[in-house]
Structures are given as C-alpha cells and as structure tokens.
Amino acid sequence: MELTDFKVAIDKYKVIFFDAFGVLKTYNALIPGIEATFAYLKETGKEFYILTNDASRSPEQLVESYHKLGVYDIVPETIVSSGMLAREYLQYKVENGTVAYLGTANSAHYLKTAGLKALPISEVDLDNTDDISALVFMDDEGFDWNNDLNKTLNLLRKKTIPVIVANTDKTYPMGRKSVAIAIGAVAKMIEDIVGKQFMRFGKPDAQMFIFAYQHILNNAGVSRNDILMVGDTLHTDILGGNKFGLDTALVLTGNTRLEEVDLRIRSTGIIPTYVCESAVVK
Amino acid sequence: MELTDFKVAIDKYKVIFFDAFGVLKTYNALIPGIEATFAYLKETGKEFYILTNDASRSPEQLVESYHKLGVYDIVPETIVSSGMLAREYLQYKVENGTVAYLGTANSAHYLKTAGLKALPISEVDLDNTDDISALVFMDDEGFDWNNDLNKTLNLLRKKTIPVIVANTDKTYPMGRKSVAIAIGAVAKMIEDIVGKQFMRFGKPDAQMFIFAYQHILNNAGVSRNDILMVGDTLHTDILGGNKFGLDTALVLTGNTRLEEVDLRIRSTGIIPTYVCESAVVK
Amino acid sequence: MELTDFKVAIDKYKVIFFDAFGVLKTYNALIPGIEATFAYLKETGKEFYILTNDASRSPEQLVESYHKLGVYDIVPETIVSSGMLAREYLQYKVENGTVAYLGTANSAHYLKTAGLKALPISEVDLDNTDDISALVFMDDEGFDWNNDLNKTLNLLRKKTIPVIVANTDKTYPMGRKSVAIAIGAVAKMIEDIVGKQFMRFGKPDAQMFIFAYQHILNNAGVSRNDILMVGDTLHTDILGGNKFGLDTALVLTGNTRLEEVDLRIRSTGIIPTYVCESAVVK
Amino acid sequence: MELTDFKVAIDKYKVIFFDAFGVLKTYNALIPGIEATFAYLKETGKEFYILTNDASRSPEQLVESYHKLGVYDIVPETIVSSGMLAREYLQYKVENGTVAYLGTANSAHYLKTAGLKALPISEVDLDNTDDISALVFMDDEGFDWNNDLNKTLNLLRKKTIPVIVANTDKTYPMGRKSVAIAIGAVAKMIEDIVGKQFMRFGKPDAQMFIFAYQHILNNAGVSRNDILMVGDTLHTDILGGNKFGLDTALVLTGNTRLEEVDLRIRSTGIIPTYVCESAVVK
C-alpha cells in the first residue's frame, strides 16, 4: 500500500480515535514529535479520544502518566479504557456480593467505583465462597501467578459465576525489544482449561467503539463517517474500527513494521483505509 | 435453576427482545400458544423487537412469514436481522464496485438496498476481478456448494477484499428432529482455509444488541435495565444479552432442554437471569 | 537459510521419504527433471517411499498415475497413503456392520479391502441406521456437498459412532494457480458443528511415519538417522518428519516459495534440516 | 453404556496399558484395592505398562513413589512417560548446544540422560543465546511463573529453535477436590502468543502408544488385538488407545463420573470398548 501523510489523512475527519501504545507512546516515552499532533488537533478544533485495552489504572492515573511525559492536552474525559467497559458490565449485571479480582490495587479502582466490594484472589477463602458473585481479570500484576492462578482455577471449578476479562490483549511492550504477557493471555489459558465462556472487553470488540461513539453523540452532527481510528495493530485497532464502520489509519511506529505491512494486510485480510509512517503531524 | 413463570419475568421490563427460532416459532409453525404473548404485550403496552441471525430474507419478507402463520403484531420496524448489520457495514465501508455474494436472490436484497451492485459468486469471472470490492456470505441456499465454494476460495487467494458474514449461526432447524448447516459454518470453513479474518455480524456480538437499542433510544426514558432478552440458546442469545448488560430469560422450547439446562449453565458458565418453560404467557 | 544441493543432502541417507504433490509432481505433470532423481536412487541403491495424504485412490491406482507420466520406478509397495492408515484403524476397531462414507467409488477401495460393507452417504436411510457402525470421510468428490453434508450432520446427531478422516489436508492443487477444498477441511467443518472428536489420519501425525518406518524395519540395520523426509509443506511434511525424529528437506517447488522461506520458518518455528531448490538430482 | 466387570474385561487380553492418575492412584494414595489387580496380573502372567503424561520425575523416581505406597510390582521397565518421548526426540534431533528448560531439577533428568547440557530458563542470558539449541517445557514447578514465562516468551521472539512440550495435560489432581495447572496448559498459552508450532509429546498422541508397543514387540506374538488400554479420561487415554487400534476400558475412579459417562461419550463421540467401575480386580 502507498503511504499517506498523516496530516492529509486526518484533515478529512472531525474526530480522531487513537490507540495509545505504539501510536502515542512507547513503553516509557512519547513517540518523538507527537506533541505537534496534539497542537494541530487543538488548532483545528478536532476532538480526539484514546481507546486503550488497559484496565491497570484509572483514567485519572492514565492522564497523569501523559502529564509526566509533558503532554497536557489529554483529560480523563478523552480516555476510553477496557476497564470502563468492564465496570459498566458490572454495574448492569452484578449488583450484590463481592467481586474477586486478579490485578493491582490500582486496577481495583474500576470495581470500587462501580460500588462493588473487591477482593484480591489471594484473599478469597475457597471453603467459603458464598459471597463471591463474579471474577474479574484486571491486570497481570499484583498477584502470584502460580498460587493465585491455581486458586482461580479451583474457584471456577467450584462455582458458576460470571467471569470478566477487562483487557483482551495478549502482550504489551516492556522495553525496546521485549514484551510481557498481558492478562488477556492469562485469562485465555484459564478459559481453555475450565471450558467456560468468559466475557472479554476491549478492542476489537464493537462495544469499545460504541462506548467512545456515545461520548461524542452528545455533540450533535457527528456521524461515523467523520471519525478516523488510528492504531498500530491490525487485529485490534484496525479490525475493530473497520467493523464498526469507521475509516482506519495504520501507523508503523508500533506492532507493524514497514517492510511487512503489505504481507500482513494480504495474509490477514484486514485492510486499513490509510497506512501512515506515524501519527506525527509534520 | 428454578423455573420462573414467563409472565412474572416480563412484567418487570418495558421492552422485550425475542429470538425467533425456538422461541416464537419452530421450523414450520408457531410455538403453541405464543399468540397470547403478543396479545399480552399489546395490552400492557410493552415494546418488543425480534433479533434474528437471518440474512436470507428482507424484514418485509420475514414479517410476511409471521402473517402467514396468523401473527399480525409483527411489523418490519420490529425486526433486527444480522443482514441489516451487514448492510450497515457495507454502506459505511464499501462505496464502489461490485459485491460478490453467496446466497439466494432474496438475500441479495440487503446488498441492493445498500445501493451496491450485487453479483452471485457463480457469475464472478476469476480472470477479471478488478471490480469486485467485497465478498458477502448471506445464505446457505442459492449456490452450488462444491463449485462455488471452490471458486470463493480461489477468489480470496487472489484478491484482498473485505469479507462479511451476515449470519454467524452454525445450523438452523429443518424439521422436528433435523438441522441444516447454516452459512456461518460454511464461512468458518473458508476462513480457516485462507487464514484471513472475516467480519461476522449477528448474536452474540454486541453490535446486534446496540442496533436494536438504538431503535428504542428514540423513545426517551428506556435504559438497559428496562430490557429483557428472551432466547433459547446460551451461546448467542443469553451470552450476547448478558454482555450488553441486559437481563436475560432462557426458554426451553428450542435448543436447550429442561433435563440438561443446569449442566449446560454450569459447564458453559453462561448464566441467564431467568429460566422459563416457554415464552408463552398463560 | 542457505540452500543445499539436493544430491548432497540425500547422499547422507539410506532411505528417502517423499511427499507427492509439489515434490514429485504438480496437479497434472511431473516436476521437470524428477526422472533423474529416480535413476539416481536406483543407481545408488537407496530405498524410497511416497507418503501421501490421499485416500481417493488405491496404491495400485496411484502407481498407475505415475506410469502414465512416464515414471516406472514406483511400485505399490512404495506407497504409504493416509487411506491405508484409515483402513488399518477400521480393521482393528470396526469389525461388524456397514461403514458409511463420503467419497468416490475408488476411495471405497480402502473400506472394501478391510472386509467391510461400504455404503455411500447418499444411500444411508436416516430412519434406519442400526447397521451403520462407523463413518469415514474419504474424498471430496463423489457426493453432493449440500444434501449429503446435511445428511452426514444429522446422522452424527442421531448416532454415536467412530468418525474417521482419511485425509487431513485442507486443500489440494487443481491448476497452475488454483486449489480445491480437500475433504480434511470439510470434515473439520462438520466436527466443529457437532462438537465431537473425529479420528484424523495423515501427515503430520506420527502414525503415518511409523507406518512407513515399519515397512523398512524388515530390512535390518536402518535407524531413523538413516532416513530423510522430503516435502514442500512445513506444517505437514517437515513438522511430522521432525517430530518423528527424522532429518527433513524442504523443497521449493510446491507450497513454499523461495522469497518467503525464511519468514515462514521463523514465524512457524518449524525448522527443516535442509532447504533445497527442488528434489531434482542434477 | 453397561458396566463391565474389570476382571472379565482384562481376561481377554495378554497385555494391559494403564494410565496412572485416577486409575492406579489418586494425588496421594492408591486407588483402594488396586493391589489385588497387580496380584492378579502376576498370577495370570499378563504383562502391563504404565503410560503417563508425566515428565516431572525419572522412571526410577516414579517407581519409588509406588514403592512408598506399598506396590512393588512396578519396575522402571514398565514405565512409559511422555518425558521419555521428549528425550528420544532430543536424541535424534538436537545434537549440540544447550537445552533451556522450564521445570524442576528432577525433570532435567530426561535432558541429561540424553547427553545434553540443560539450563534452567532462569539462568538463560537473553543477551547471549547463541548456544541455546532448543527449549523444553518439562514441569509446572521449579520456576517463577511470572518472570520466567515472560523470559521464555522473549527468548522465542528472539530465536527460532525447536520447542518441546514433554507433558500435554492441562491439569493434574492436587487434592480430593482440587487440581493444579499442568505445564501443557502453560505451554499452550505461550504457543498461542508467539504463534509458533510446538512439538507436544504424550497421550493421546500415537507416539506414546507406539513407544510402549515397541517395548512389547521384543516379546514375539503380541498383536494390537491382545492389548487393552485402561484409563479414566476420554480425551487422552481412550481417544489415543482407540486411534492406535487398541481396545479400551474407561474406569470411573478419576476424571469421569458414573452419572455423566453416557452424556460424555455421546457428546464427545469418543467410545470406549468397556466401561468399568474401577481397575480393581475383585
């Protein structure tokens, strides 16, 4: 595919949806020059949202992490995280009892703001599970993988409760060349073992895009044709955006490299509207 | 699980979503007594919608099939079919060219009302595919399985185009004890062979429920708490309704039998809010 | 990977296992020059066997197809087909009754030489299945895909019998640039629908290699270190050969092309001992 | 299915293959009365072998664990473990370099007796992996799940080497009502993430049965018709035995309970020759 200049691409749209990792930032820094993009969005009055498969931190904490890197245009209202979808599900469907979770204390924020009692899996008593009304996979940190995953497995063998996965990703970047196993992959292992159906929230699922779309709907006059989804991953950002009816731009600063982009599009059949070198406005 | 009287269950909700097969009708007749349910809905002023993984016929034709069985309360506006979602996708994302399809002439209705040129796969010329801009699996009838599936495979090996599956079901009822392979299973076979990612529309995917929900949104004051999804299949109706935050009622007149319902709920982990003998109001 | 001259590769081994399609022949002709390879094998006294996922024809008919192309060094005793494994299974495990099958009359050869009564699926009476003791997927031809696959599905819903797949391949070559769906992919679709476990015979499964190995065992003094498996497909020929402990040579005249060979090896993790341009001895 | 008396079942066979867990022993004790079975086998001169998906301990250590429980009829020569198959693979295919492994020091026995240098994954230096020639998943204990699984993932992203899984099971029993995640499930998670093909050894794979069969072959005159495979799990013991052409007996002292046996056989399509209450001769 031909490369399109990112500025040319976004000029056709009123609203931009961004993936975070690989598009706006790397594991520990901003994508070089991305500040210019935020300035340009402000100047042209384009709205933007960040759609992230991340339930490890609250929107406020995510915003703070951008502030630390020197970007101040991101506010909590512009964040749409898979943790927010999981929280919405819990609010509609799990009214009573205690929610057991795997994740850090930070990730439990989404459970507590849903008005639920949250209990780390390590503190669950397998001989007394009457009060446990749901289980949530939030984050890959904050628990002992060996002991607590075995405990999770035995809880699910014993009790039929809804199981929620608040981040569907398999890996996330950890360094310049290394990745870490994300909670989505860990949840998949447990799902395969118990043979039950978990509820997974995050891109490429349509609910993520609808959630963001509903934020905008308050602003009259925006149709799906006015929105561009920008991401670095064909199977989440581009597939999900496409399926929801949005135009999509694949950027080459993260999971997809220039030399393999044509082969990847051909072999997966997932076709972005544009391919851009990066999300940097030059 | 304890059985709940269907009338008691629906009395708590303003809007009812129904699956069609196994809930309202069998392969060739109504579920006995279901007319009383429609009368009760009218009497109590409850809105209802039919959510069906069916792209073989237009909403108008589906309505006509109920009229023939003596039910006149169903109008095209109450039908939400997976074919409508596929059409919406095509309207947003496939603007030009010719859409190749597998299915009957009736199923091509959804393509033509999207303003697209529709071509049965049998008429595609594999040596001249420049104009083909998408491929849609609509229905299991209307084509030669052996020749046309091989042709479909070779088209997808040759050309990278979006592939849409307008009905995700694996089977549908054909008689009192027999089923037929649905187009969803056929599409899955081709997807496995080519290794590409198809876009599938239908329950349990959230988009189906959102599509129906948006119809209602016009009527102010209805929240997801006011809606009950009624279905006979755990993996589509109940899973999809649950995940979208709706309460759900499993009825035992179709795919799930009384003697296995507890085991099925335990083994799948998909938990309906209610289990009812049928959707018949007594 | 570096290319190895085929003659250099085979000189280290006493016995050669060949895949057929893409190694010795294309859909309608010999790989150009392959006659020299057979002459060299004869001259040097190396034994060879053809391991083929093909149950459509008897070993005698397969040999005849080579004779027609001008190769006379292949005799029935050098053929190891997946159909022979399926027959062996039936001989050990299905002693009585009638075996229903999908395939041509030629493919039924394997059933009849097992001493079994073979009945094409089209002739099965679903109201009287008492005598049906097994079902075998033999070949993609010889039956009506739509009617007979629906019939197969309903037979398996009704009766719990062993199901055998005599060719695990997904596709086979039909022309210079086109392929056809093989019975392995069709069987997989039915297996996914009914949720039962079929028994699949063919590469990369170890049984295929053991079957060939047992032929040779009669000739004392051959260890697995003395055998080279030659194939054009990483996922069947090379994976299966590797796992059985054989050295393997990937040739580039079939499913794997020179320009993608490195990427394919890296992305699948399936590593041949040698990569050779072709199986032609020059 | 009707229950068959175990003594009646085994009286028709010369050789018996036993699964270990759920058939001969539980997590910490013998199946009550199983001593009588060993006495009967001795008395009647029937050979027996134990086929176990266990690579955590050497055959000698496994034998010792039976001795501690008071059974002295089991000798190392009667043990066929998946660890032995993994070792055989390594002997044929990995001649040089260092094999990285996940597991206890005990499980490394299989690597060292193959003449290989074995290095726990925790000691691998990701910046200097030149000497690493293969990776083996041996056992679920002996490593830090979080750190060492992330390290494993990054090793496999960096280097294309054969990956061997020496135990394909998903879980193993830990107590009267609880299970633990086995290394097979952990390996599957990593395989799904990296998208590469691992080599898995253990039931139901044919190689396990062939390995045992070859032991017996030295004793002339035993055909597959003379062997009975006894196990408690349809998907490993019974499926694998069936596919290899053996008669099979399902016992109800482990993974399969009496009240669900008919449903399980019907829903999986895996059909044992006999169903017996236990492997105890009365």
Side-chain angles (χ1 to χ4, degrees):
Chain A
M1 284 188 79
E2 253 177 82
L3 292 188
T4 304
D5 181 85
F6 188 66
K7 191 160 162 292
V8 170
I10 63 171
D11 272 350
K12 301 180 192 151
Y13 302 89
K14 293 182 188 163
V15 178
I16 316 295
F17 287 176
F18 287 105
D19 176 38
F21 273 121
V23 176
L24 303 178
K25 62 179 180 182
T26 64
Y27 71 106
N28 70 351
L30 294 178
I31 296 285
I34 203 71
E35 298 89 340
T37 300
F38 289 109
Y40 184 73
L41 292 169
K42 199 173 199 170
E43 181 193 321
T44 53
K46 292 184 198 300
E47 275 188 67
F48 70 91
Y49 293 86
I50 297 174
L51 278 67
T52 179
N53 284 357
D54 188 339
S56 68
R57 289 176 293 178
S58 69
E60 289 73 19
Q61 288 173 316
L62 286 167
V63 163
E64 207 185 296
S65 74
Y66 285 98
H67 288 192
K68 279 182 184 158
L69 295 170
V71 174
Y72 298 94
D73 302 274
I74 297 173
V75 293
E77 289 68 32
T78 57
I79 304 277
V80 178
S81 80
S82 53
M84 292 159 74
L85 285 184
R87 176 172 58 196
E88 189 189 56
Y89 169 84
L90 291 165
Q91 284 173 323
Y92 278 117
K93 297 286 293 178
V94 180
E95 283 152 39
N96 308 302
T98 297
V99 175
Y101 72 94
L102 294 94
T104 58
N106 271 342
S107 68
H109 157 88
Y110 289 104
L111 308 175
K112 288 169 186 163
T113 55
L116 291 162
K117 210 176 133 193
L119 191 69
I121 185 73
S122 60
E123 296 179 18
V124 169
D125 174 2
L126 282 184
D127 290 326
N128 182 4
T129 60
D130 288 355
D131 196 48
I132 307 291
S133 55
L135 173 78
V136 191
F137 288 85
M138 299 297 299
D139 191 16
D140 63 295
E141 299 189 325
F143 62 95
D144 178 284
W145 280 35
N146 192 337
N147 288 336
D148 288 339
L149 290 175
N150 279 330
K151 199 168 176 182
T152 300
L153 172 59
N154 285 298
L155 172 62
L156 294 181
R157 282 166 49 93
K158 195 175 171 185
K159 222 181 154 180
T160 301
I161 46 175
V163 182
I164 295 95
V165 185
N167 171 356
T168 55
D169 285 354
K170 291 178 176 175
T171 62
Y172 60 95
M174 267 302 280
R176 209 163 51 83
K177 285 189 168 177
S178 70
V179 300
I181 300 170
I183 192 67
V186 173
K188 179 74 165 50
M189 174 178 72
I190 303 290
E191 195 178 17
D192 284 351
I193 294 174
V194 294
K196 296 187 178 183
Q197 181 80 41
F198 294 178
M199 266 164 295
R200 314 174 80 80
F201 293 98
K203 294 172 286 181
D205 203 83
Q207 272 177 285
M208 193 85 172
F209 293 89
I210 288 149
F211 200 91
Y213 188 52
Q214 285 172 335
H215 275 261
I216 313 170
L217 276 181
N218 306 323
N219 308 334
V222 176
S223 117
R224 297 191 205 181
N225 288 323
D226 298 321
I227 306 173
L228 180 71
M229 172 72 210
V230 183
D232 70 323
T233 309
L234 285 171
H235 271 96
T236 54
D237 308 314
I238 306 305
L239 174 62
N242 278 352
K243 201 184 157 199
F244 187 58
L246 308 183
D247 282 354
T248 51
L250 179 73
V251 297
L252 306 174
T253 45
N255 277 328
T256 314
R257 293 192 317 268
L258 177 61
E259 60 271 29
E260 61 181 11
V261 65
D262 277 319
L263 175 66
R264 289 269 200 110
I265 290 171
R266 253 186 300 120
S267 69
T268 63
I270 303 170
I271 314 163
T273 316
Y274 313 99
V275 177
C276 303
E277 206 183 309
S278 77
V280 173
V281 168
K282 282 170 188 167
Chain B
M1 282 189 81
E2 253 176 83
L3 291 190
T4 304
D5 180 86
F6 189 65
K7 190 159 165 290
V8 171
I10 63 172
D11 272 350
K12 301 180 192 148
Y13 302 89
K14 294 182 188 164
V15 178
I16 316 295
F17 288 178
F18 287 106
D19 177 36
F21 273 122
V23 175
L24 303 179
K25 62 179 180 182
T26 64
Y27 71 105
N28 71 350
L30 294 178
I31 295 285
I34 204 73
E35 298 89 341
T37 300
F38 289 109
Y40 184 74
L41 293 168
K42 199 174 202 169
E43 182 193 320
T44 53
K46 293 182 197 302
E47 276 189 66
F48 72 90
Y49 293 86
I50 297 173
L51 279 68
T52 179
N53 284 358
D54 189 339
S56 68
R57 290 176 291 179
S58 70
E60 289 73 18
Q61 288 173 316
L62 286 167
V63 164
E64 206 185 296
S65 74
Y66 285 98
H67 287 192
K68 279 184 184 158
L69 295 170
V71 174
Y72 298 94
D73 303 275
I74 297 172
V75 294
E77 288 69 31
T78 57
I79 304 276
V80 177
S81 80
S82 54
M84 292 159 73
L85 285 184
R87 176 173 58 197
E88 190 189 57
Y89 169 84
L90 291 165
Q91 284 174 322
Y92 279 116
K93 297 287 292 179
V94 179
E95 284 152 39
N96 309 304
T98 297
V99 175
Y101 72 96
L102 294 94
T104 59
N106 270 343
S107 69
H109 156 89
Y110 288 105
L111 308 175
K112 288 170 187 163
T113 55
L116 291 162
K117 210 175 133 195
L119 192 70
I121 184 75
S122 60
E123 296 179 18
V124 169
D125 175 2
L126 283 183
D127 290 327
N128 182 5
T129 60
D130 288 355
D131 195 48
I132 306 291
S133 54
L135 173 78
V136 190
F137 289 86
M138 297 297 297
D139 193 16
D140 63 295
E141 299 189 322
F143 62 94
D144 178 283
W145 280 34
N146 192 337
N147 288 336
D148 288 340
L149 290 176
N150 279 330
K151 199 168 178 182
T152 300
L153 172 59
N154 284 299
L155 172 61
L156 294 181
R157 283 165 48 94
K158 195 176 172 185
K159 221 181 154 180
T160 301
I161 47 176
V163 182
I164 296 95
V165 185
N167 171 356
T168 54
D169 286 354
K170 291 179 177 175
T171 62
Y172 61 94
M174 266 303 279
R176 208 163 51 85
K177 285 190 168 176
S178 71
V179 300
I181 300 170
I183 192 68
V186 174
K188 181 72 166 49
M189 175 178 73
I190 303 291
E191 195 178 17
D192 284 350
I193 296 174
V194 295
K196 296 186 179 183
Q197 181 81 40
F198 294 178
M199 266 164 295
R200 313 174 82 78
F201 292 98
K203 294 171 288 178
D205 204 83
Q207 272 177 287
M208 193 84 171
F209 293 89
I210 288 149
F211 200 90
Y213 188 52
Q214 285 171 337
H215 275 261
I216 312 170
L217 277 181
N218 307 323
N219 306 335
V222 177
S223 116
R224 296 191 206 181
N225 288 322
D226 299 319
I227 306 173
L228 180 71
M229 172 72 208
V230 183
D232 70 321
T233 309
L234 286 170
H235 271 97
T236 54
D237 308 313
I238 306 305
L239 174 62
N242 278 353
K243 200 183 158 199
F244 187 58
L246 308 184
D247 282 355
T248 51
L250 179 73
V251 296
L252 306 175
T253 45
N255 277 328
T256 314
R257 292 193 316 270
L258 177 61
E259 61 269 28
E260 62 181 11
V261 65
D262 276 319
L263 176 65
R264 288 271 199 107
I265 290 171
R266 254 186 300 120
S267 69
T268 62
I270 303 170
I271 313 163
T273 316
Y274 313 100
V275 177
C276 302
E277 206 184 308
S278 76
V280 173
V281 168
K282 283 170 188 169
Chain C
M1 284 189 80
E2 253 176 82
L3 292 189
T4 304
D5 181 87
F6 188 67
K7 190 161 164 291
V8 171
I10 63 171
D11 271 350
K12 302 179 193 150
Y13 302 89
K14 294 182 189 163
V15 178
I16 316 295
F17 288 176
F18 287 105
D19 176 37
F21 274 120
V23 176
L24 303 179
K25 61 178 179 182
T26 65
Y27 71 105
N28 70 351
L30 294 178
I31 295 285
I34 203 71
E35 299 89 340
T37 301
F38 289 109
Y40 184 74
L41 292 168
K42 199 172 200 172
E43 180 193 323
T44 54
K46 293 184 198 298
E47 274 189 67
F48 71 91
Y49 294 86
I50 298 175
L51 278 67
T52 179
N53 284 359
D54 189 339
S56 68
R57 290 177 292 181
S58 70
E60 289 73 18
Q61 289 172 316
L62 285 168
V63 163
E64 206 185 296
S65 74
Y66 285 98
H67 288 192
K68 279 183 185 159
L69 295 170
V71 174
Y72 299 95
D73 303 275
I74 298 173
V75 293
E77 289 67 34
T78 58
I79 304 276
V80 177
S81 80
S82 53
M84 292 159 73
L85 285 184
R87 176 173 58 197
E88 189 189 57
Y89 169 85
L90 290 165
Q91 285 173 322
Y92 279 116
K93 297 286 294 179
V94 180
E95 282 152 40
N96 308 303
T98 298
V99 175
Y101 73 95
L102 293 94
T104 59
N106 270 343
S107 68
H109 156 89
Y110 289 106
L111 308 176
K112 288 170 186 162
T113 54
L116 291 162
K117 209 176 133 195
L119 192 68
I121 185 75
S122 60
E123 295 179 19
V124 169
D125 174 2
L126 284 183
D127 290 325
N128 183 4
T129 60
D130 287 356
D131 196 49
I132 306 293
S133 55
L135 173 78
V136 191
F137 289 85
M138 297 297 297
D139 192 16
D140 63 296
E141 299 189 324
F143 61 95
D144 178 284
W145 280 34
N146 192 337
N147 288 335
D148 289 339
L149 290 175
N150 279 331
K151 200 168 176 182
T152 301
L153 172 58
N154 285 299
L155 172 61
L156 294 181
R157 283 165 49 93
K158 196 175 171 185
K159 225 183 151 180
T160 301
I161 46 176
V163 182
I164 296 95
V165 185
N167 171 356
T168 54
D169 285 354
K170 292 178 177 176
T171 62
Y172 60 94
M174 267 302 280
R176 209 164 50 86
K177 285 189 168 178
S178 70
V179 300
I181 300 170
I183 193 67
V186 174
K188 180 74 165 51
M189 175 178 71
I190 303 292
E191 195 178 18
D192 283 349
I193 295 174
V194 295
K196 295 185 178 183
Q197 180 80 42
F198 294 178
M199 265 163 297
R200 314 173 81 78
F201 292 98
K203 292 172 287 180
D205 205 82
Q207 272 177 287
M208 193 86 172
F209 294 89
I210 289 149
F211 200 92
Y213 188 52
Q214 285 172 336
H215 274 261
I216 312 169
L217 277 181
N218 308 323
N219 308 333
V222 176
S223 117
R224 297 191 206 181
N225 288 323
D226 299 319
I227 306 173
L228 179 70
M229 171 73 210
V230 183
D232 70 322
T233 309
L234 286 171
H235 272 95
T236 53
D237 309 313
I238 306 305
L239 174 62
N242 278 352
K243 199 181 158 201
F244 188 59
L246 308 183
D247 281 354
T248 51
L250 179 73
V251 297
L252 305 174
T253 45
N255 278 327
T256 313
R257 295 192 315 268
L258 177 60
E259 60 270 29
E260 61 181 13
V261 66
D262 277 319
L263 175 66
R264 289 270 200 108
I265 290 171
R266 254 186 300 119
S267 68
T268 62
I270 303 169
I271 313 164
T273 316
Y274 314 99
V275 178
C276 302
E277 207 183 309
S278 76
V280 173
V281 168
K282 283 166 189 171
Chain D
M1 284 190 80
E2 252 176 84
L3 292 189
T4 304
D5 181 87
F6 188 67
K7 189 160 165 291
V8 172
I10 63 172
D11 271 349
K12 302 180 194 151
Y13 302 89
K14 294 183 187 165
V15 177
I16 316 294
F17 287 177
F18 287 105
D19 176 37
F21 274 122
V23 176
L24 302 178
K25 61 178 179 182
T26 65
Y27 70 106
N28 70 351
L30 293 178
I31 295 285
I34 204 72
E35 298 90 339
T37 300
F38 290 109
Y40 184 74
L41 293 168
K42 199 173 200 170
E43 181 193 322
T44 54
K46 293 184 198 300
E47 275 190 65
F48 71 92
Y49 293 86
I50 297 174
L51 278 68
T52 180
N53 284 357
D54 188 339
S56 69
R57 290 175 292 179
S58 70
E60 288 73 19
Q61 289 172 314
L62 286 167
V63 163
E64 206 185 296
S65 72
Y66 285 98
H67 287 193
K68 279 182 184 160
L69 295 170
V71 174
Y72 299 94
D73 302 275
I74 298 172
V75 293
E77 289 68 32
T78 58
I79 304 275
V80 177
S81 80
S82 53
M84 291 159 74
L85 284 185
R87 176 174 58 197
E88 190 189 56
Y89 169 85
L90 291 165
Q91 284 172 323
Y92 278 117
K93 296 287 292 179
V94 179
E95 283 153 40
N96 310 303
T98 297
V99 175
Y101 73 95
L102 294 93
T104 58
N106 270 343
S107 68
H109 156 89
Y110 289 105
L111 308 175
K112 287 170 186 163
T113 55
L116 291 163
K117 208 177 135 196
L119 192 69
I121 185 74
S122 60
E123 295 179 19
V124 169
D125 174 2
L126 284 183
D127 291 327
N128 183 4
T129 61
D130 287 356
D131 195 48
I132 307 291
S133 55
L135 173 78
V136 191
F137 289 85
M138 297 299 295
D139 192 15
D140 62 295
E141 299 189 324
F143 61 94
D144 177 284
W145 280 34
N146 193 336
N147 288 337
D148 288 339
L149 290 176
N150 279 330
K151 199 169 177 181
T152 300
L153 172 59
N154 285 299
L155 172 62
L156 294 181
R157 283 164 48 93
K158 194 175 173 184
K159 222 181 154 180
T160 300
I161 47 176
V163 181
I164 295 95
V165 185
N167 171 356
T168 55
D169 286 353
K170 292 177 176 176
T171 62
Y172 60 94
M174 267 303 279
R176 208 164 50 85
K177 286 189 168 177
S178 70
V179 301
I181 300 169
I183 193 67
V186 174
K188 180 74 165 48
M189 175 178 72
I190 303 292
E191 194 177 18
D192 284 349
I193 295 174
V194 295
K196 297 186 178 182
Q197 181 81 42
F198 294 178
M199 264 163 297
R200 314 173 82 77
F201 293 98
K203 292 172 288 181
D205 205 82
Q207 272 177 287
M208 194 85 171
F209 294 88
I210 289 149
F211 200 91
Y213 188 53
Q214 286 172 335
H215 275 261
I216 312 169
L217 277 181
N218 308 324
N219 307 334
V222 177
S223 116
R224 297 191 206 181
N225 288 323
D226 299 320
I227 306 173
L228 179 71
M229 171 72 209
V230 183
D232 70 323
T233 309
L234 286 171
H235 272 97
T236 54
D237 308 313
I238 307 304
L239 174 62
N242 278 352
K243 201 182 157 198
F244 188 58
L246 307 184
D247 281 354
T248 51
L250 179 73
V251 297
L252 305 175
T253 44
N255 278 328
T256 313
R257 293 192 315 269
L258 177 60
E259 60 270 28
E260 62 180 12
V261 66
D262 277 317
L263 176 66
R264 290 270 199 107
I265 290 171
R266 254 186 300 121
S267 69
T268 61
I270 303 170
I271 312 164
T273 316
Y274 313 100
V275 178
C276 302
E277 207 184 306
S278 76
V280 173
V281 168
K282 283 168 187 170

